[in-house]
């Protein structure tokens, strides 16, 4: 299945990437699995994505590592928010 | 929630005019609590000249709407207005505005602070400060998580 | 306390302008919390057309100054403004304004609510409502005493 | 000694009097004693001044029945405040 992935703020800068559309292999069905899949691309992905305080959203709602993702979903990775 | 209650915008806003609009033509409002957040020239001891606010278009509005809806479920509110800016903002500039109208002051104060506390921890905005030594992403403050968490206890 | 922090007056005021004046030329303020109290058209189920606010000239100002000084001792505040009107006020009219500027929002919110809570129980103002059935002095609310008392526990 | 007395709001209306200057007899040295002295003038004073929630100020500061009063002081009687 295909999903849209977005990266924000310090994570976007560290990855040098604001977003991408990715074809996921079988076995990647939730946010945690997607994170592991992206980290496997190499150190430049593994290091930024291993931050303990990373936050996630699926279809623009806050999500956790267990949150399921399906075809066409929009998944976002970002640091803790600091607005206001 | 009335339409137009939430704005995410580059432009500045006029807090007085926004608060007036919230109560225009009404005679049942007894209390209006407002909050304005501004860019300070110092953060943890280091000088700040300006900052850039990044956000997540689409999710930002959805998150703010959910926070306002939560507040309206908790307290009898007569009007709510939330404005949050993004883009580059110099020191002294307004960042965020929250106004809450209610019959009584307790509800107005509580809802205004509740909205700010959850905006700080749930709305996808990120600040990058410009300092004399370069750009620096602002770290999330534990105090903000604590501020949001105390509303859970009161629920 | 800066001079002009407290006004007791017949005239209306402009909340937006007052809040702007509090932070004019400053770049160290991160948070401004404000409160506006208005004459509501209903109080305990009975229609209200207008009210007259009586006060105790001299003591009013002294009481407000003491409340503001107390708030400034409790929290690191950068500016405070309190305006309270007296005389005849129609429904929808502004009665009271409190604005507090601070580096952080927690102090601004807390001090603003603290000042309102003590103003409600310590400042010598009395409201007389005009209803279709005549004039009626407003009774003090136990909830206001409770609101002021909770600050004692936190001290 | 002479003191200035002020009455406010509903109490002012009930007494039909906004204020007065009174020469106090020996034995009237605090707010509670002043209240009793004024109440002794008759029913039209006794009834309004017997309200349980009556508040007092001496020289424009909140005071209690035990608060001392001296020559030239300004003493105020009033109902609980209801501003804001």
């Amino acid at each position: 299945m295909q999903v849209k992935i977005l990266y924000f703020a310090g994570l976007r800068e560290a990855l040098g990437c604001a977003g991408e559309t990715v074809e996921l292999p079988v076995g990647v069905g939730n946010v945690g699995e997607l994170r592991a899949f992206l980290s496997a691309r190499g150190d430049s992905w593994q290091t930024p994505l291993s931050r303990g305080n990373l936050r996630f959203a699926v279809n623009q709602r806050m999500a956790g590592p267990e949150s399921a993702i399906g075809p066409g979903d929009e998944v976002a990775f970002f640091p803790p928010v600091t607005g206001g | 929630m009335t339409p137009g209650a939430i704005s995410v915008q580059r432009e500045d806003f006029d807090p007085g005019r926004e608060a007036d609009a919230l109560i225009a033509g009404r005679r049942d409002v007894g209390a209006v609590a407002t909050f304005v957040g501004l860019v300070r020239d110092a953060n943890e001891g280091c000088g700040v000249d300006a900052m850039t606010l990044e956000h997540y278009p689409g999710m930002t509005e959805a998150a703010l709407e959910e926070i306002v809806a939560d507040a309206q479920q908790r307290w009898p509110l007569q009007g709510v207005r939330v404005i949050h800016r993004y883009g580059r903002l110099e020191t002294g500039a307004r960042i965020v505005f929250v106004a809450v109208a209610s019959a009584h002051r307790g509800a107005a104060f509580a809802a205004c602070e509740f909205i700010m506390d959850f905006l700080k921890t749930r709305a996808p905005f990120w600040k990058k400060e410009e300092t004399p030594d370069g750009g620096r992403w602002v770290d999330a403050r534990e105090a903000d998580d604590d501020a949001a968490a105390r509303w859970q206890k009161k629920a």
Side-chain angles (χ1 to χ4, degrees), chain A, chain B:
Chain A
M1 66 176 169
Q2 232 181 26
V3 297
K4 182 180 172 189
I5 311 180
L6 299 173
Y7 309 104
F8 288 99
L11 182 66
R12 171 179 54 72
E13 288 186 345
L15 296 173
C17 177
E20 54 182 323
T21 299
V22 175
E23 180 69 36
L24 299 184
V26 174
V28 177
N30 68 29
V31 170
E33 289 160 2
L34 174 58
R35 181 189 195 174
F37 169 73
L38 295 168
S39 294
R41 287 171 169 176
D43 273 359
S44 64
W45 289 83
Q46 201 272 328
T47 304
L49 287 172
S50 66
R51 292 186 200 175
N53 61 7
L54 212 63
R55 298 289 193 269
F56 321 100
V58 175
N59 295 328
Q60 308 192 347
R61 292 194 60 126
M62 288 289 188
E66 307 298 321
S67 301
I69 51 182
D73 278 356
E74 179 176 300
V75 184
F77 292 79
F78 46 79
V81 305
T82 55
Chain B
M1 194 166 54
T2 45
I6 286 163
S7 301
V8 179
Q9 62 189 43
R10 277 190 186 277
E11 303 73 38
D12 195 14
F13 49 84
D14 181 335
R17 190 181 301 182
E18 296 292 341
D20 284 349
L22 203 60
I23 58 170
R26 302 189 67 156
R27 295 176 172 269
D28 57 337
V29 174
V32 177
T34 78
F35 179 83
V36 173
L38 304 144
V39 183
R40 285 189 301 131
D41 70 356
N43 197 5
E44 317 212 338
C46 300
V48 172
D49 304 317
M51 59 168 57
T52 298
L53 263 148
E54 180 173 332
H55 77 119
Y56 181 172
M59 179 170 167
T60 313
E61 291 81 355
L64 293 176
E65 274 170 29
E66 196 176 327
I67 293 165
V68 170
D70 282 356
Q72 286 172 318
Q73 277 213 311
R74 281 178 173 245
W75 295 281
L77 308 182
Q78 295 171 320
V80 177
R81 181 82 172 105
V82 177
I83 306 174
H84 203 301
R85 297 175 70 188
Y86 62 88
R88 187 171 185 279
L89 301 174
E90 303 201 343
T91 52
R94 285 178 274 261
I95 304 169
V96 61
F97 176 73
V98 176
V100 175
S102 183
H104 298 287
R105 78 184 186 287
F109 272 121
C112 190
E113 194 164 10
F114 173 95
I115 290 170
M116 274 308 301
D117 285 348
F118 280 92
L119 185 156
K120 282 264 181 188
T121 54
R122 299 264 185 93
F125 289 99
W126 300 272
K127 285 174 180 161
K128 187 175 191 175
E129 295 174 339
E130 295 171 26
T131 77
D133 301 313
R136 176 181 61 191
W137 289 99
V138 173
D139 282 328
R141 293 171 64 228
E142 213 172 296
D144 288 330
D145 286 330
D146 295 346
R150 76 202 154 109
W151 297 103
Q152 235 95 38
K153 289 174 212 151
K154 289 188 194 167

